[in-house]
Amino acid sequence: MTRRYLNILLVGSLFSLSACAQQSEVQQMKQSVSALNSTMSQLNQETVKITQQNALNAKSTSGVYLLPGANTPARLKSQIGTLRMSLVNVAPNADGTRATLRIQGESNDPLPAFSGTVEWGQIQGTTDNFQEVNVQSQLINAPASVLAPSDVDIPLQLNGVTPEQLGFVRIHDIQPAAQ
């Protein structure tokens, strides 16, 4: 009789352990699905921004547009050669938004010292029919690079606009610095 109770207790324990293991696996599966959904949502948002950035640049006659959240460089043909530009480290601060403009030369030569204009603001409308709103600008200066290929990081202070409000950054009039 004792052996029979022991067998029943053992079988009951196995069912309990099996149920616990399944619960744990289900919980892990839910967490994985949730993480995957979050990643897919982020990728969808990034895809929309890349598409908008490409559409704006296809129509641009002056400079190159960079959209926060696109996380993709854009090319600009300038007086100092073709440059790849991207916006990184976009974050809020007390005066608005700080960001880093990363400029990479595509040739095997170091970049010369140069200047340019950065504009930022909001975009209203669609990429087919848009208007730039609350546009501000600042001049930038970059020293000559020593290494090739060159990467130059220029810190930007974009006053008056939070990262959520920042619709675009446009860089234009890149020219070699006067000697």
Side-chain angles (χ1 to χ4, degrees):
M1 189 92 162
T2 310
R3 201 173 216 172
R4 185 173 193 201
Y5 286 122
L6 187 58
N7 282 341
I8 291 173
L9 183 63
L10 184 61
V11 168
S13 296
L14 284 174
F15 280 126
S16 293
L17 287 173
S18 174
C20 288
Q22 289 175 354
Q23 291 273 344
S24 174
E25 289 174 5
V26 167
Q27 187 63 25
Q28 284 180 336
M29 184 69 78
K30 284 182 180 178
Q31 289 173 346
S32 295
V33 168
S34 177
L36 183 59
N37 282 338
S38 176
T39 301
M40 287 300 295
S41 176
Q42 181 180 352
L43 287 173
N44 284 336
Q45 291 171 357
E46 193 171 312
T47 300
V48 167
K49 290 293 187 181
I50 291 169
T51 302
Q52 291 172 337
Q53 178 175 293
N54 288 342
L56 289 170
N57 284 324
K59 294 178 181 183
S60 177
T61 57
S62 172
V64 65
Y65 283 90
L66 300 173
L67 301 187
N71 298 327
T72 301
R75 284 185 167 81
L76 175 66
K77 291 184 181 178
S78 73
Q79 291 184 19
I80 61 170
T82 302
L83 305 171
R84 287 175 33 131
M85 299 189 176
S86 57
L87 213 51
V88 296
N89 304 324
V90 178
N93 70 7
D95 297 322
T97 300
R98 77 170 188 274
T100 302
L101 175 62
R102 179 159 294 150
I103 301 175
Q104 301 168 305
E106 290 194 342
S107 75
N108 289 329
D109 299 324
L111 288 174
F114 64 91
S115 64
T117 302
V118 174
E119 294 180 341
W120 68 93
Q122 299 167 308
I123 294 180
Q124 287 184 345
T126 65
T127 51
D128 289 331
N129 185 18
F130 69 94
Q131 183 176 11
E132 296 176 358
V133 180
N134 301 326
V135 178
Q136 299 181 55
S137 68
Q138 69 183 35
L139 296 176
I140 58 169
N141 292 297
S145 299
V146 179
L147 303 174
S150 301
D151 288 4
V152 176
D153 283 351
I154 300 173
L156 300 176
Q157 176 58 49
L158 310 174
N159 293 327
V161 63
T162 65
E164 294 79 26
Q165 296 169 327
L166 182 61
F168 73 94
V169 173
R170 186 164 60 95
I171 300 93
H172 58 93
D173 293 334
I174 299 289
Q175 300 176 20
Q179 297 292 350

